[in-house]
Amino acid sequence: MQLYFIFMKKICFATNNEHKIQEVKNIIGNAFQILSLKDVGCSEDLPETGNTLEQNSAQKANYIFKNYHIACFADDSGLEIESLNNKPGVDSAHYAGTRNATDNNNKVLAELADKTNRNAVFKTVITFVSLNSESQFTGIVKGEIINQLPEKEGFGYDPIFIPLGESKTFAEMSIVEKNKISHRSIAINKLIEYLNLREDL
Ligand code: ITT
């Protein structure tokens, strides 16, 4: 068992978001050894100055690879709402001016108050970087924004998003249920497929 652990591929997940770590560990299981930013000695904030999820995802992964010299991946995700011109999008983390999820959700619901079109997508862009390689994997899930903020809290915009064909919000689902259909799990499963083919890691 211990020997198996030594030969497992070690990959850093460049994120400070505990919810993302829990979801991704639940999908990856024991397929790879996931190192945290703390494990690789990184305690600073990751740079995120791009204008798109693709740019920010690549920026975070490249920052860790260049400074800590370990194969790594980063996740940049956002909620894109059709009748708000795809906002909050890349500004999802601090849409209301703070990083407070309740404030962000309330801002979205206020902006949608007079809108009948409540279609939205959650999108995740994963960037994997290692020596001489950089690849991106995208996951998208369609859904709708509900009318009122429920009492039950959850990760980011999960309390107000119902995936297409489902009757529960992401916040009302268990982590296993969310991972069966989520934007993040679609992107991470593409990453796993890619890593399984990489003999050099
Ligand atoms: P890292 O950059 O350290 O990974 P972050 O929270 O800053 O963490 P993002 O820049 O990707 O991550 O911000 C996206 C925001 O969108 C995040 O803070 C949440 O508010 C929201 N979000 C992302 N994925 C989500 C999900 O699966 N469910 C609900 N909200 C999500």
Side-chain angles (χ1 to χ4, degrees), residues 14-17 20 23 46 48 60 75-78 92-93 99 104 122 155-158 170 178 183-184:
T15 183
N16 283 306
N17 187 313
K20 290 184 183 178
E23 288 182 11
L46 302 175
E48 279 189 80
K60 290 187 275 193
D75 163 321
D76 209 61
S77 299
S92 291
R99 292 184 68 93
N104 286 337
F122 256 128
F155 170 22
Y157 299 92
D158 277 356
F170 266 158
K178 181 179 173 187
H183 46 305
R184 177 160 299 105

Side-chain angles (χ1 to χ4, degrees), residues 7-194:
F7 291 111
M8 268 166 84
K9 292 175 182 172
K10 283 193 184 61
I11 296 158
C12 173
F13 183 13
T15 183
N16 283 306
N17 187 313
E18 269 308 312
H19 295 283
K20 290 184 183 178
I21 293 172
Q22 277 176 22
E23 288 182 11
V24 167
K25 281 196 169 166
N26 181 275
I27 301 164
I28 289 184
N30 287 328
F32 308 101
Q33 190 183 347
I34 301 295
L35 303 179
S36 65
L37 288 176
K38 195 168 157 219
D39 290 333
V40 302
C42 172
S43 55
E44 61 272 22
D45 279 342
L46 302 175
E48 279 189 80
T49 57
N51 297 319
T52 62
L53 300 178
E54 285 77 7
Q55 286 170 2
N56 281 347
S57 175
Q59 194 180 18
K60 290 187 275 193
N62 276 291
Y63 177 85
I64 293 303
F65 185 71
K66 286 197 180 113
N67 291 288
Y68 296 91
H69 317 290
I70 177 150
C72 70
F73 65 97
D75 163 321
D76 209 61
S77 299
L79 178 68
E80 299 180 346
I81 301 171
E82 215 169 87
S83 58
L84 300 182
N85 296 320
N86 292 333
K87 283 200 272 177
V90 73
D91 296 324
S92 291
H94 42 80
Y95 192 46
T98 67
R99 292 184 68 93
N100 182 288
T102 304
D103 292 348
N104 286 337
N105 283 320
N106 279 327
K107 180 170 179 184
V108 163
L109 292 178
E111 289 178 338
L112 285 179
D114 60 347
K115 307 269 196 275
T116 46
N117 176 0
R118 306 185 73 92
N119 294 339
V121 299
F122 256 128
K123 179 174 169 185
T124 289
V125 180
I126 299 284
T127 305
F128 175 77
V129 179
S130 65
L131 194 61
N132 302 324
S133 85
E134 179 169 336
S135 301
Q136 282 195 324
F137 308 93
T138 301
I140 290 176
V141 63
K142 290 183 185 175
E144 273 188 350
I145 304 299
I146 62 172
N147 289 310
Q148 256 195 326
L149 190 60
E151 267 175 36
K152 192 176 183 337
E153 293 183 346
F155 170 22
Y157 299 92
D158 277 356
I160 59 167
F161 182 85
I162 299 191
L164 203 67
E166 302 291 329
S167 53
K168 292 194 273 193
T169 65
F170 266 158
E172 291 168 320
M173 295 182 184
S174 68
I175 199 165
V176 173
E177 286 174 317
K178 181 179 173 187
N179 276 343
K180 278 190 188 142
I181 52 174
S182 83
H183 46 305
R184 177 160 299 105
S185 68
I186 293 169
I188 288 289
N189 280 316
K190 291 179 185 173
L191 170 70
I192 293 171
E193 213 172 294
Y194 169 84

